[in-house]
Amino acid sequence: MTVTDRTERFAVDPFGADIPGESARLRALGPIVPVELPGGIPAWAPTTYDTLRDLILDPRVSKDPRLHWRLWPEVGEHPSWGWILGWVGVVNMLSTYGADHTRLRKLVAPSFTQRRTEKMRARVEAITTELLDALDALDGEAAAVVDLKAAFAHPLPMRMICELFGVPDELQEATGALIASIMDTSDPSPEHAAFVQQQIATVLPALIAHRTEHPGDDLTTELIRVRDEDGDRLSDEELLYTLLLVIGAGFETTVNLIGNAVVALLTHPEQLAAVRSGEIGWDAVVDETLRVHPSIAALPLRFAVSDIEVGDVTVPAGDAIITTFAAAGLDPAHYGPDADAFDAARGADDHLAFGIGVHRCIGAPLARVEALTALPALFDRFPGLSLAVDGEELRQVPSFIAFGWQQIPVRLRQG
């Protein structure tokens, strides 16, 4: 079987409306399945934990489309494929291989070490308290039903990443809108792809220009200095797209982590009670959330450098592969027959949601600090917190990549 057999491909839902159900349907077809991504892009989807882990660690799997995607020269011939350029048509850690990836990662990774992240904890705590104070001050109709995503889960990581990268106030809204538009895979039209590219070419150069004129103690200034001192270490293009990656990944994923954990606990009150009593720790809540509802459900794209055998299937050299974190986390062969159930007592700290190996997420320590600060503080401040709608009424963001909720309507207090 090869990915070019169109009739054999499973069409991935561009809206991501039922990611767990889709993962189960794909898994029933085998450990790796030929799929069609939005716009008709052919790829392979690993469906089991072991398959995904093995492929992530396999040196025969690349993230550089220019070197290893057979269809890269044809992207321009397919207008409906333009959305993928926001993911693979960039030059940063997400789309490089070997020495280029190592070089780019070394420029950013020191800013996200566990030790440096711990220094940010006080600021995380301060912003958390400020946001909770604002919620606590609401009364009357304003306090009746609150969108917790807009009021808490989104602004905390957004403000942290903007401070870390020195994003000025006047660019923060545009930065958030840019990342949301890249995550939105529901519209593979050429118009949407052109809009995304136009936003990339507007927002990020404005940030670079601002920090060039007003340097500060921030990561954007540090990267600009690297580029100016040695263009061989970091080119103009790499600077632009490195900022796109680390700013986007640095807040959007944590927004979903916090929001998904809140929803999971509010829809599993017995587990929330166990957390409150100390029977279950907050670390376990975070890990189980990342397993069942990983902030990134599927990440495009990786590429087979040579033919790769997966069971009785051959993934041909040059074919694209999706990194399917959601499917791996829900694999019953690895997590048991109740793998689709949220169980914070499970102890699932081997999840792959942050990746593994050389491409493991450099922002994982900061994401954990933010979630482990925000969640207990939220539930301590509002012990009567509850969803204002049935869990089934919540709507997934329009994406097969991101795994999170459009809004999280809650009541802060009982009665």
Side-chain angles (χ1 to χ4, degrees), residues 183-208:
M183 290 287 182
D184 185 349
T185 58
S186 65
D187 181 7
S189 70
E191 292 76 17
H192 179 72
F195 171 76
V196 170
Q197 293 303 315
Q198 187 269 335
Q199 290 298 102
I200 292 174
T202 301
V203 176
L204 296 175
L207 170 59
I208 293 169

mmCIF file of all heavy atoms in Angstrom, residues 183-208:
data_model
loop_
_atom_site.group_PDB
_atom_site.id
_atom_site.type_symbol
_atom_site.label_atom_id
_atom_site.label_comp_id
_atom_site.label_asym_id
_atom_site.label_seq_id
_atom_site.Cartn_x
_atom_site.Cartn_y
_atom_site.Cartn_z
ATOM 1 N N MET A 183 -3.570 28.079 13.416
ATOM 2 C CA MET A 183 -4.138 26.872 14.009
ATOM 3 C C MET A 183 -5.450 26.464 13.348
ATOM 4 O O MET A 183 -5.818 25.289 13.357
ATOM 5 C CB MET A 183 -4.377 27.088 15.506
ATOM 6 C CG MET A 183 -3.126 27.186 16.340
ATOM 7 S SD MET A 183 -2.328 25.575 16.536
ATOM 8 C CE MET A 183 -0.940 26.037 17.602
ATOM 9 N N ASP A 184 -6.166 27.411 12.766
ATOM 10 C CA ASP A 184 -7.468 27.140 12.163
ATOM 11 C C ASP A 184 -7.275 26.394 10.842
ATOM 12 O O ASP A 184 -6.805 26.959 9.857
ATOM 13 C CB ASP A 184 -8.204 28.457 11.922
ATOM 14 C CG ASP A 184 -9.624 28.259 11.398
ATOM 15 O OD1 ASP A 184 -9.971 27.120 11.019
ATOM 16 O OD2 ASP A 184 -10.380 29.243 11.367
ATOM 17 N N THR A 185 -7.648 25.108 10.840
ATOM 18 C CA THR A 185 -7.496 24.299 9.620
ATOM 19 C C THR A 185 -8.835 24.033 8.942
ATOM 20 O O THR A 185 -8.924 23.199 8.053
ATOM 21 C CB THR A 185 -6.828 22.950 9.952
ATOM 22 O OG1 THR A 185 -7.620 22.245 10.928
ATOM 23 C CG2 THR A 185 -5.427 23.158 10.499
ATOM 24 N N SER A 186 -9.876 24.759 9.369
ATOM 25 C CA SER A 186 -11.206 24.514 8.816
ATOM 26 C C SER A 186 -11.391 25.130 7.441
ATOM 27 O O SER A 186 -12.348 24.807 6.739
ATOM 28 C CB SER A 186 -12.274 25.060 9.763
ATOM 29 O OG SER A 186 -12.196 26.475 9.861
ATOM 30 N N ASP A 187 -10.488 26.024 7.050
ATOM 31 C CA ASP A 187 -10.609 26.708 5.766
ATOM 32 C C ASP A 187 -9.315 26.566 4.977
ATOM 33 O O ASP A 187 -8.381 27.350 5.156
ATOM 34 C CB ASP A 187 -10.925 28.191 5.997
ATOM 35 C CG ASP A 187 -11.080 28.966 4.695
ATOM 36 O OD1 ASP A 187 -11.072 28.325 3.620
ATOM 37 O OD2 ASP A 187 -11.211 30.205 4.753
ATOM 38 N N PRO A 188 -9.229 25.556 4.094
ATOM 39 C CA PRO A 188 -8.010 25.374 3.309
ATOM 40 C C PRO A 188 -7.976 26.218 2.031
ATOM 41 O O PRO A 188 -7.216 25.931 1.109
ATOM 42 C CB PRO A 188 -8.059 23.878 2.965
ATOM 43 C CG PRO A 188 -9.522 23.579 2.856
ATOM 44 C CD PRO A 188 -10.204 24.474 3.873
ATOM 45 N N SER A 189 -8.796 27.270 1.981
ATOM 46 C CA SER A 189 -8.880 28.078 0.766
ATOM 47 C C SER A 189 -7.600 28.877 0.549
ATOM 48 O O SER A 189 -6.895 29.222 1.497
ATOM 49 C CB SER A 189 -10.060 29.040 0.857
ATOM 50 O OG SER A 189 -9.821 30.048 1.820
ATOM 51 N N PRO A 190 -7.312 29.215 -0.709
ATOM 52 C CA PRO A 190 -6.146 30.064 -0.999
ATOM 53 C C PRO A 190 -6.241 31.424 -0.312
ATOM 54 O O PRO A 190 -5.221 31.998 0.071
ATOM 55 C CB PRO A 190 -6.188 30.210 -2.526
ATOM 56 C CG PRO A 190 -6.971 29.040 -3.006
ATOM 57 C CD PRO A 190 -7.981 28.755 -1.939
ATOM 58 N N GLU A 191 -7.483 31.931 -0.141
ATOM 59 C CA GLU A 191 -7.654 33.232 0.494
ATOM 60 C C GLU A 191 -7.200 33.202 1.956
ATOM 61 O O GLU A 191 -6.553 34.144 2.431
ATOM 62 C CB GLU A 191 -9.120 33.663 0.404
ATOM 63 C CG GLU A 191 -9.599 33.986 -1.000
ATOM 64 C CD GLU A 191 -9.859 32.754 -1.851
ATOM 65 O OE1 GLU A 191 -9.984 31.642 -1.271
ATOM 66 O OE2 GLU A 191 -9.941 32.900 -3.082
ATOM 67 N N HIS A 192 -7.564 32.124 2.664
ATOM 68 C CA HIS A 192 -7.148 32.018 4.062
ATOM 69 C C HIS A 192 -5.624 31.878 4.153
ATOM 70 O O HIS A 192 -4.987 32.502 4.999
ATOM 71 C CB HIS A 192 -7.818 30.817 4.730
ATOM 72 C CG HIS A 192 -7.423 30.631 6.164
ATOM 73 N ND1 HIS A 192 -7.849 31.469 7.178
ATOM 74 C CD2 HIS A 192 -6.599 29.718 6.760
ATOM 75 C CE1 HIS A 192 -7.325 31.081 8.328
ATOM 76 N NE2 HIS A 192 -6.571 30.028 8.104
ATOM 77 N N ALA A 193 -5.053 31.054 3.271
ATOM 78 C CA ALA A 193 -3.598 30.877 3.280
ATOM 79 C C ALA A 193 -2.893 32.198 3.002
ATOM 80 O O ALA A 193 -1.880 32.526 3.643
ATOM 81 C CB ALA A 193 -3.199 29.827 2.245
ATOM 82 N N ALA A 194 -3.437 32.973 2.059
ATOM 83 C CA ALA A 194 -2.828 34.268 1.733
ATOM 84 C C ALA A 194 -2.933 35.222 2.916
ATOM 85 O O ALA A 194 -2.003 35.989 3.195
ATOM 86 C CB ALA A 194 -3.501 34.864 0.504
ATOM 87 N N PHE A 195 -4.065 35.182 3.623
ATOM 88 C CA PHE A 195 -4.246 36.030 4.803
ATOM 89 C C PHE A 195 -3.211 35.688 5.868
ATOM 90 O O PHE A 195 -2.603 36.587 6.468
ATOM 91 C CB PHE A 195 -5.657 35.855 5.360
ATOM 92 C CG PHE A 195 -5.874 36.519 6.690
ATOM 93 C CD1 PHE A 195 -6.046 37.894 6.772
ATOM 94 C CD2 PHE A 195 -5.886 35.769 7.861
ATOM 95 C CE1 PHE A 195 -6.231 38.505 8.008
ATOM 96 C CE2 PHE A 195 -6.073 36.383 9.097
ATOM 97 C CZ PHE A 195 -6.245 37.758 9.165
ATOM 98 N N VAL A 196 -2.989 34.391 6.107
ATOM 99 C CA VAL A 196 -2.013 33.973 7.111
ATOM 100 C C VAL A 196 -0.620 34.474 6.739
ATOM 101 O O VAL A 196 0.107 35.030 7.581
ATOM 102 C CB VAL A 196 -2.010 32.441 7.260
ATOM 103 C CG1 VAL A 196 -0.830 31.995 8.120
ATOM 104 C CG2 VAL A 196 -3.314 31.960 7.875
ATOM 105 N N GLN A 197 -0.245 34.287 5.472
ATOM 106 C CA GLN A 197 1.082 34.724 5.046
ATOM 107 C C GLN A 197 1.229 36.242 5.164
ATOM 108 O O GLN A 197 2.302 36.741 5.545
ATOM 109 C CB GLN A 197 1.341 34.269 3.609
ATOM 110 C CG GLN A 197 1.462 32.764 3.442
ATOM 111 C CD GLN A 197 2.555 32.161 4.306
ATOM 112 O OE1 GLN A 197 3.674 32.689 4.378
ATOM 113 N NE2 GLN A 197 2.254 31.058 4.980
ATOM 114 N N GLN A 198 0.149 36.961 4.856
ATOM 115 C CA GLN A 198 0.192 38.418 4.977
ATOM 116 C C GLN A 198 0.363 38.846 6.426
ATOM 117 O O GLN A 198 1.104 39.782 6.737
ATOM 118 C CB GLN A 198 -1.091 39.010 4.379
ATOM 119 C CG GLN A 198 -1.100 40.530 4.302
ATOM 120 C CD GLN A 198 -1.685 41.192 5.535
ATOM 121 O OE1 GLN A 198 -2.484 40.604 6.248
ATOM 122 N NE2 GLN A 198 -1.267 42.428 5.806
ATOM 123 N N GLN A 199 -0.298 38.127 7.343
ATOM 124 C CA GLN A 199 -0.171 38.436 8.763
ATOM 125 C C GLN A 199 1.235 38.147 9.268
ATOM 126 O O GLN A 199 1.806 38.908 10.050
ATOM 127 C CB GLN A 199 -1.206 37.639 9.569
ATOM 128 C CG GLN A 199 -2.639 38.080 9.357
ATOM 129 C CD GLN A 199 -2.849 39.510 9.797
ATOM 130 O OE1 GLN A 199 -2.911 40.426 8.963
ATOM 131 N NE2 GLN A 199 -2.954 39.722 11.092
ATOM 132 N N ILE A 200 1.795 37.013 8.831
ATOM 133 C CA ILE A 200 3.171 36.682 9.222
ATOM 134 C C ILE A 200 4.120 37.785 8.769
ATOM 135 O O ILE A 200 5.020 38.211 9.508
ATOM 136 C CB ILE A 200 3.593 35.326 8.628
ATOM 137 C CG1 ILE A 200 2.795 34.178 9.266
ATOM 138 C CG2 ILE A 200 5.097 35.093 8.824
ATOM 139 C CD1 ILE A 200 3.051 32.825 8.626
ATOM 140 N N ALA A 201 3.909 38.250 7.538
ATOM 141 C CA ALA A 201 4.796 39.252 6.954
ATOM 142 C C ALA A 201 4.574 40.649 7.516
ATOM 143 O O ALA A 201 5.338 41.570 7.215
ATOM 144 C CB ALA A 201 4.603 39.277 5.433
ATOM 145 N N THR A 202 3.532 40.819 8.337
ATOM 146 C CA THR A 202 3.232 42.127 8.914
ATOM 147 C C THR A 202 3.544 42.182 10.409
ATOM 148 O O THR A 202 4.264 43.081 10.878
ATOM 149 C CB THR A 202 1.743 42.476 8.702
ATOM 150 O OG1 THR A 202 1.456 42.474 7.305
ATOM 151 C CG2 THR A 202 1.414 43.844 9.291
ATOM 152 N N VAL A 203 3.023 41.227 11.161
ATOM 153 C CA VAL A 203 3.105 41.281 12.620
ATOM 154 C C VAL A 203 4.535 41.065 13.109
ATOM 155 O O VAL A 203 5.051 41.834 13.943
ATOM 156 C CB VAL A 203 2.158 40.243 13.251
ATOM 157 C CG1 VAL A 203 2.313 40.235 14.767
ATOM 158 C CG2 VAL A 203 0.708 40.542 12.861
ATOM 159 N N LEU A 204 5.176 40.008 12.619
ATOM 160 C CA LEU A 204 6.504 39.680 13.143
ATOM 161 C C LEU A 204 7.573 40.686 12.731
ATOM 162 O O LEU A 204 8.419 41.056 13.560
ATOM 163 C CB LEU A 204 6.881 38.261 12.735
ATOM 164 C CG LEU A 204 5.958 37.192 13.342
ATOM 165 C CD1 LEU A 204 6.296 35.816 12.804
ATOM 166 C CD2 LEU A 204 6.029 37.207 14.864
ATOM 167 N N PRO A 205 7.588 41.163 11.481
ATOM 168 C CA PRO A 205 8.544 42.238 11.164
ATOM 169 C C PRO A 205 8.337 43.491 12.024
ATOM 170 O O PRO A 205 9.299 44.183 12.356
ATOM 171 C CB PRO A 205 8.268 42.525 9.682
ATOM 172 C CG PRO A 205 7.767 41.222 9.141
ATOM 173 C CD PRO A 205 6.931 40.662 10.259
ATOM 174 N N ALA A 206 7.065 43.758 12.389
ATOM 175 C CA ALA A 206 6.805 44.908 13.270
ATOM 176 C C ALA A 206 7.435 44.688 14.649
ATOM 177 O O ALA A 206 7.984 45.624 15.257
ATOM 178 C CB ALA A 206 5.306 45.140 13.403
ATOM 179 N N LEU A 207 7.362 43.447 15.151
ATOM 180 C CA LEU A 207 8.005 43.123 16.427
ATOM 181 C C LEU A 207 9.515 43.277 16.319
ATOM 182 O O LEU A 207 10.160 43.874 17.200
ATOM 183 C CB LEU A 207 7.651 41.690 16.844
ATOM 184 C CG LEU A 207 8.437 41.121 18.032
ATOM 185 C CD1 LEU A 207 8.243 41.975 19.290
ATOM 186 C CD2 LEU A 207 8.023 39.669 18.291
ATOM 187 N N ILE A 208 10.099 42.750 15.250
ATOM 188 C CA ILE A 208 11.552 42.835 15.069
ATOM 189 C C ILE A 208 11.990 44.295 14.956
ATOM 190 O O ILE A 208 12.988 44.710 15.561
ATOM 191 C CB ILE A 208 11.977 42.030 13.827
ATOM 192 C CG1 ILE A 208 11.731 40.524 14.064
ATOM 193 C CG2 ILE A 208 13.448 42.276 13.494
ATOM 194 C CD1 ILE A 208 11.875 39.669 12.824
#
